[in-house]
Amino acid sequence: MTEPDGAVPAPREKKRIVLGVGGGIAAYKACEVLRGLTESGHEVRVVPTEAALRFVGAATFEALSGNPVHTGVFEDVPEVEHVRIGREADLVLVVPATADLLARAAHGNADDLLTATLLTASCPVMFAPAMHTEMWEHAATKANVALLRSRGSVVTEPASGRLTGKDTGKGRLAEPAEIVAMAKLLLARPDALPYDLAGKRVVVSAGGTREPLDPVRWLGNRSSGKQGYALAQVAAARGAQVTLVNAHTAALPEPAGAELVQVRTAAELHEAMRDAARVADVVVMAAAVADFRPESAADHKIKKSEKEPDAVRLIRNPDVLAELVSARTKGQVIVGFAAETGDEFGDVLTHARAKLKRKGCDLLVVNAVGEGGAFEGDDNQGWLLSADGLETPVPRGSKAALAAAVWDAVAMTAVS
Ligand code: CTP
């Protein structure tokens, strides 16, 4: 299958974002988040803590945002900034959210401009945490995060990897590009990240498989993996335990909180999906899996010679989705993807309905190939078809927005 299409960007609307910056080493990455938001056309007001300014100077935030930077409630008093900034915001985003800042937010402190802003904001609030593993796993932090989530704030999972010193572990700030994508999703759909997948195990496949011809060549496809990554990111932000079975993709930020299993060929993807699906509540096949592979791959580079090359004989790969459906465990929800074109036998939806029946999955995400689109685009649109006959159009929007629509449909399927 092919990656869902979509090159025409969704219309942009200028929104007001407050970027709170906590006092941790990852504060320097907030500059990249700030850049991503302003380049998307949004107005950003940076509100750092005093401690954040020990890592990044106010001048940097002022220059990048084009707005003044204050930390306390006694600056610009006639403007009553500590109330106005929060009230007027469309989104408050805290990057990095340190253990201390999460604690102060959870307890309703208002001892600086950022915490006062958090108390006056009626818009969506998202925290992207970064701290040492011990701090993230401490019972106090866990309780603070649970409290904030129960009040409707989004607290995304930190990534695993290199921390400040030589140590590695969970607690690293999510990639700035991922934070920007989740922030834009909340601006487009404030209700897109409920914490409704907590305790669910989900497995998502992404990218395109490559079937080797020889040690340096393969048969592949144009899938960028962006839609599969967006599904993994949104699921993790909604509380799921995510395994991402990753074939070949464009250079994409690794989704924070997801376990990555790297595969190359359809056969490897087949095995990885079978293993991961055994314990999964939800399986999503967003990968573009090659239907055929060369019967044999040469063990040496095929050299150019005077005579015409031999024809490459192709043999069939397993249909992973269909096999997962026949091995499905009780209550498991299975989602397939289909990129379709109309032809003399029917339009896109006619083909998609037939595919949904043939594959036997619970939901099918359908994209019309060629409607304004390159496969590698950041936007997408389509329909969600469910086995019980429901057909929901998904308007053009980001791949994260389509992912959120898929998880909404999964949540409904799991309940009904
Ligand atoms: N798929 C799969 N294994 C394959 C091929 C496809 O699991 N060997 C999955 C894809 O990940 C996708 C769904 O099946 O979720 C539909 O893929 P698509 O290529 O549209 O389906 P095909 O069965 O190959 O049908 P077509 O005849 O349209 O190519």
Side-chain angles (χ1 to χ4, degrees):
M1 88 154 239
T2 38
E3 177 75 359
D5 73 318
V8 181
R12 284 177 176 176
E13 200 189 328
K14 188 170 182 160
K15 296 279 176 83
R16 278 186 232 213
I17 303 169
V18 173
L19 177 61
V21 184
I25 184 68
Y28 77 94
K29 295 187 184 169
C31 299
E32 219 179 307
V33 172
L34 171 55
R35 214 36 196 270
L37 296 171
T38 53
E39 277 175 5
S40 304
H42 300 302
E43 174 78 17
V44 186
R45 178 75 197 256
V46 183
V47 183
T49 61
E50 272 297 313
L53 293 184
R54 300 183 71 149
F55 293 94
V56 180
T60 303
F61 292 131
E62 287 184 339
L64 289 174
S65 68
N67 279 314
V69 166
H70 300 142
T71 58
V73 293
F74 294 108
E75 288 150 300
D76 220 350
V77 173
E79 286 286 315
V80 204
E81 275 200 316
H82 69 290
V83 178
R84 186 177 55 81
I85 297 176
R87 265 194 197 150
E88 290 179 356
D90 296 303
L91 173 72
V92 179
L93 178 63
V94 182
V95 183
T98 58
D100 178 66
L101 194 47
L102 288 170
R104 291 196 292 134
H107 291 275
N109 292 11
D111 47 5
D112 61 7
L113 187 55
L114 177 53
T115 46
T117 299
L118 286 166
L119 279 188
T120 52
S122 53
C123 59
V125 175
M126 173 176 145
F127 297 88
M131 64 196 74
H132 273 81
T133 311
E134 295 85 343
M135 290 183 167
W136 176 248
E137 287 174 354
H138 195 283
T141 307
K142 281 188 179 164
N144 291 331
V145 168
L147 193 55
L148 289 165
R149 282 176 175 155
S150 72
R151 291 182 189 143
S153 293
V154 176
V155 185
T156 57
E157 288 294 302
S160 292
R162 183 84 189 267
L163 301 172
T164 318
K166 289 195 173 123
D167 44 349
T168 59
K170 191 159 184 178
R172 196 181 146 86
L173 186 73
E175 290 299 324
E178 179 177 353
I179 296 172
V180 171
M182 293 300 105
K184 286 194 203 166
L185 173 61
L186 285 174
L187 288 171
R189 249 198 70 184
D191 65 341
L193 296 176
Y195 203 66
D196 60 347
L197 297 177
K200 297 275 179 229
R201 285 198 255 201
V202 314
V203 48
V204 177
S205 67
T209 61
R210 286 181 182 176
E211 311 301 315
L213 277 165
D214 71 12
V216 296
R217 301 181 181 94
W218 65 82
L219 294 182
N221 59 65
R222 288 172 59 194
S223 173
S224 66
K226 286 180 183 175
Q227 187 59 65
Y229 270 54
L231 281 153
Q233 284 165 359
V234 172
R238 286 169 75 145
Q241 196 181 319
V242 181
T243 301
L244 179 60
V245 174
N246 192 41
H248 294 275
T249 65
L252 300 173
E254 196 173 304
E259 185 202 343
L260 221 71
V261 178
Q262 192 62 46
V263 296
R264 291 165 296 184
T265 61
E268 287 180 7
L269 184 136
H270 184 202
E271 200 181 319
M273 287 305 290
R274 232 178 6 205
D275 285 352
R278 271 189 203 113
V279 290
D281 300 295
V282 187
V283 179
V284 183
M285 276 296 297
V289 186
D291 287 325
F292 301 97
R293 65 177 183 277
E295 185 174 32
S296 61
D299 56 8
H300 57 273
K301 185 177 174 204
I302 301 169
K303 302 297 283 180
K304 184 164 60 195
S305 65
E306 291 304 309
K307 66 179 183 63
E308 290 303 306
D310 294 335
V312 177
R313 201 179 121 72
L314 298 177
I315 58 169
R316 194 172 285 276
N317 276 328
D319 186 325
V320 181
L321 177 59
E323 278 197 25
L324 292 171
V325 167
S326 55
R328 115 174 44 207
T329 58
K330 193 166 178 292
Q332 190 175 63
V333 178
I334 302 187
V335 184
F337 268 73
E340 301 288 343
T341 61
D343 58 21
E344 72 266 36
F345 302 108
D347 62 7
V348 167
L349 280 175
T350 312
H351 286 295
R353 287 177 195 122
K355 187 166 285 180
L356 175 64
K357 274 218 175 80
R358 198 164 69 240
K359 300 269 184 181
C361 48
D362 301 288
L363 282 168
L364 192 72
V365 186
V366 184
N367 302 110
V369 174
E371 281 189 6
F375 298 115
E376 296 87 355
D378 289 329
D379 287 359
N380 213 344
Q381 74 181 115
W383 296 266
L384 299 184
L385 306 191
S386 73
D388 60 11
L390 210 65
E391 297 188 355
T392 316
V394 183
R396 181 166 293 281
S398 68
K399 287 187 173 175
L402 186 123
V406 170
W407 292 119
D408 292 344
V410 165
M412 271 177 59
T413 307
V415 169
S416 59

